[in-house]
């Protein structure tokens, strides 16, 4: 199949008018003023620093086209998010077929040799699947399923082939963006000696330090377990301690909130985390009211 790349067919003016069309589309979801303000805000930070989008594994199987369109949309207005994806459900599926029972310790997947072998395969396949879906839409993307994160064993006896990230090879990411291609990453890392290790994708997303960290999943944000209502904003400075005391904040939700707190504590105060579904990503980013759950340290800093 012939794939259309913007670089081949489109002139600079074509890309410009396309950007204008997309911007006009955005005016449908919010006021012109807010859309313009967020566009300016997100593109003012050097294009390199915009966002990291952490894509939950289930989104790749259930909503691949919506996901690829949402990312394409951002790219068409001139933004270059770093995309990092998991593949948890796909991995569990294959492990089950291979007769391996998934095993966790403190929420961390214990990774033996067989699990790693299957994980590596499934991560690479899912990575390519997303890259191809993007390229099919004319969005340039580069598969970076390895070579980005370096790591050490977290605790070899306890967890097996699980890594603790010690460094990020920014150059590979920057080279991809410079070349006009979106970097598509997985949560695999290597030791200095080249042993592949499985790393926590949420932690990996944090290591990439961007203004906006987006968690894309099937649900449209975090839900209050008592009221069943979606949580609009969490201001960690004021709400964190209370939130952790809530009986419905347990297991995965608790771990996630703790990780997000940890993450934001180490980023500039203006950074924030959004939890949102692929279909509502642009509404979350380009309007004041958003669409999912916004988590930040304190009150609003800009505008
Ligand atoms: N668009 C703004 C941002 O990305 C505000 C989003 C507000 N979101 C919310 N769920 N209340 O920072």
């Amino acid at each position: 199949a012939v794939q259309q790349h913007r670089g081949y067919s489109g002139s600079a003016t074509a890309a410009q008018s396309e950007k204008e069309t997309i911007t006009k589309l955005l005016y449908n979801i919010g006021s012109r003023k807010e859309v313009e303000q967020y566009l300016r805000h997100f593109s003012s930070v050097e294009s390199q620093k915009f966002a990291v989008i952490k894509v939950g594994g289930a989104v790749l199987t259930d909503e691949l086209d919506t996901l690829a369109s949402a990312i394409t949309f951002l790219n068409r207005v001139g933004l270059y998010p770093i995309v990092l994806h998991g593949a948890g459900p796909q991995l569990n599926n294959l492990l089950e077929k291979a007769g391996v029972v998934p095993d966790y310790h403190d929420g961390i997947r214990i990774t033996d040799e067989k699990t790693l072998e299957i994980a590596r395969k499934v991560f690479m396949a899912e990575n390519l699947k997303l890259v191809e879906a993007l390229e099919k839409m004319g969005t340039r993307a580069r598969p970076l399923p390895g070579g980005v994160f370096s790591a050490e064993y977290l605790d070899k006896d306890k967890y097996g082939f699980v890594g603790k990230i010690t460094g990020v090879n920014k150059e590979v990411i920057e080279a991809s963006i410079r070349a006009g291609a979106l970097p598509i990453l997985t949560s695999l890392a290597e030791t200095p000696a080249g042993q592949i290790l499985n790393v926590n994708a949420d932690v990996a997303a944090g290591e990439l330090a961007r203004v906006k960290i987006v968690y894309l999943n099937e649900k449209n944000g975090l839900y209050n377990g008592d009221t069943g209502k979606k949580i609009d904003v969490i201001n960690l400075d004021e709400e964190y301690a209370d939130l952790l005391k809530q009986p419905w904040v347990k297991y995965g939700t608790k771990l996630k909130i703790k990780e997000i707190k940890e993450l934001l504590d180490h980023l500039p105060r203006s950074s924030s985390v959004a939890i949102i579904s692929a279909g509502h990503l642009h509404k979350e980013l380009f309007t004041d009211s958003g669409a999912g759950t916004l988590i930040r340290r304190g009150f609003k800093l800009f505008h």
Side-chain angles (χ1 to χ4, degrees):
V2 180
Q3 294 190 346
Q4 199 195 333
H5 290 279
R6 293 209 287 144
Y8 300 155
S9 58
S11 61
T13 47
Q16 188 55 35
S17 85
E18 187 180 56
K19 179 171 175 176
E20 278 159 18
T21 311
I22 303 251
T23 309
K24 274 191 204 121
L25 272 174
L26 276 176
Y27 297 152
N28 291 322
I29 57 153
S31 75
R32 198 183 178 102
K33 195 170 150 247
E34 55 190 314
V35 168
E36 264 165 11
Q37 176 207 318
Y38 287 113
L39 263 178
R40 221 179 310 121
H41 175 64
F42 291 136
S43 22
S44 67
V45 279
E46 318 134 59
S47 65
Q48 324 274 17
K49 291 265 143 57
F50 162 53
V52 41
I53 300 187
K54 196 244 143 178
V55 180
V59 179
L60 288 173
T61 42
D62 302 346
E63 298 184 282
L64 185 61
D65 286 341
T66 312
L67 170 67
S69 314
I71 297 172
T72 292
F73 194 98
L74 294 179
N75 191 229
R76 293 291 195 272
V77 292
L79 298 170
Y80 282 83
I82 300 174
V83 180
L84 172 84
H85 67 85
Q90 295 91 321
L91 177 56
N92 285 342
N93 217 328
L94 287 180
L95 286 175
E96 196 183 313
K97 280 190 192 139
V100 185
V101 181
D103 196 3
Y104 296 86
H105 198 291
D106 306 325
I108 295 169
R109 184 193 293 276
I110 298 180
T111 307
D112 61 9
E113 220 161 272
K114 188 78 196 163
T115 303
L116 184 68
E117 183 190 328
I118 298 176
R120 180 170 173 269
K121 240 185 255 167
V122 80
F123 273 122
M124 309 255 270
E126 292 298 307
N127 187 272
L128 189 60
K129 201 169 89 180
L130 177 55
V131 168
E132 285 184 332
L134 287 166
E135 290 275 351
K136 218 159 74 192
M137 293 183 177
T139 306
R140 298 209 37 225
R142 210 176 255 197
L144 295 174
V148 175
F149 301 107
S150 33
E152 282 162 11
Y153 284 93
L154 180 60
D155 182 334
K156 199 174 178 180
D157 296 332
K158 213 165 164 184
Y159 305 111
F161 295 104
V162 171
K164 179 181 179 330
I165 297 180
T166 51
V168 179
N169 185 352
K170 293 200 188 91
E171 187 43 34
V172 220
I173 296 172
E174 280 157 16
S176 172
I177 295 176
R178 271 202 306 275
L182 295 173
I184 314 296
L185 281 51
T186 64
S187 51
L188 289 177
E190 296 94 36
T191 66
Q195 171 65 52
I196 291 181
L197 298 177
N198 194 3
V199 293
N200 182 311
D202 294 346
V203 174
E207 291 291 331
L208 296 166
R210 291 302 189 268
V211 169
K212 193 94 201 174
I213 294 105
V214 180
Y215 287 80
L216 275 194
N217 53 34
E218 323 82 272
K219 277 186 270 152
N220 238 344
L222 275 184
Y223 287 78
N224 180 312
D226 282 339
T227 63
K229 283 207 182 112
K230 186 171 69 203
I231 304 172
D232 175 29
V233 181
I234 299 175
N235 291 311
L236 290 172
D237 286 352
E238 298 109 71
E239 295 170 57
Y240 182 68
D242 249 14
L243 198 59
L244 283 200
K245 283 188 216 136
Q246 301 298 316
W248 55 270
V249 177
K250 51 189 174 191
Y251 314 128
T253 311
K254 189 168 201 158
L255 193 67
K256 184 146 256 164
I257 294 175
K258 279 187 165 172
E259 260 155 16
I260 291 174
K261 158 106 173 102
E262 174 92 352
L263 174 76
L264 286 177
D265 278 346
H266 293 97
L267 291 176
R269 280 196 77 85
S270 54
S271 306
S272 60
V273 170
I275 304 182
I276 186 69
S277 67
H280 293 93
L281 176 62
H282 52 297
K283 181 142 199 259
E284 174 59 32
L285 291 180
F286 299 111
T287 66
D288 286 335
S289 51
T293 301
L294 178 76
I295 306 175
R296 60 189 169 208
R297 269 157 78 188
F299 44 83
K300 269 184 206 171
L301 271 191
F302 87 94
H303 81 262

